[in-house]
Amino acid sequence: MSLPNCPKCESEYVYQDQEMLICPECAHEWNPNEVTEEEDDTLILKDSNGTLLAEGDKVTLIKDLKVKGTSTVLKIGTKATIKRFVDGDHDIDCKVDGAGDMMLKSAFVKKA
């Protein structure tokens, strides 16, 4: 019997424990008989006020931010458009007005 790869990390070392499948590499457990939702892979991010953010949303900065490695400062109220969400410390990939593409933390923006 061939078991499917892990849906989280694509490991091939999946094993079965009763009805559950378990990945020893990332510890993900799932029931192969249940209908899986793709929502598990999407990131749920909130702005500084707790409002849910979505890709394509317009946001504004809530404080002045110094751009690392330059002398540029993004001023409070600067607008940006969210392109996508990513895992990591800087979790928003966006296009900032007047500064171009940049990674920002969701804690420093609010939905416009």
Side-chain angles (χ1 to χ4, degrees):
M1 180 173 145
S2 176
L3 296 174
N5 288 352
C6 174
K8 290 285 185 184
C9 70
E10 295 299 322
S11 171
E12 61 186 28
Y13 302 110
V14 172
Y15 64 92
Q16 187 166 0
D17 183 17
Q18 296 180 12
E19 293 183 7
M20 301 294 284
L21 294 179
I22 301 170
C23 175
E25 293 186 12
C26 72
H28 178 64
E29 298 181 12
W30 73 100
N31 186 339
N33 298 326
E34 292 179 358
V35 176
T36 57
E37 295 182 16
E38 294 300 319
E39 291 295 318
D40 293 15
D41 291 341
T42 60
L43 292 172
I44 307 293
L45 293 180
K46 296 182 179 181
D47 68 3
S48 60
N49 296 328
T51 306
L52 285 176
L53 295 173
E55 293 176 3
D57 280 350
K58 306 266 190 218
V59 294
T60 58
L61 298 180
I62 62 165
K63 65 181 270 183
D64 290 351
L65 299 174
K66 183 172 181 335
V67 179
K68 187 174 184 177
T70 69
S71 60
T72 306
V73 175
L74 299 176
K75 297 291 185 183
I76 186 171
T78 302
K79 295 182 182 185
T81 303
I82 298 174
K83 293 195 303 188
R84 64 186 177 109
F85 298 140
V86 294
D87 276 331
D89 189 29
H90 291 73
D91 47 14
I92 299 175
D93 184 9
C94 59
K95 183 171 181 83
V96 179
D97 291 353
D101 294 335
M102 208 165 287
M103 300 291 287
L104 295 174
K105 294 182 181 184
S106 58
F108 297 132
V109 299
K110 69 177 181 179
K111 196 168 181 176

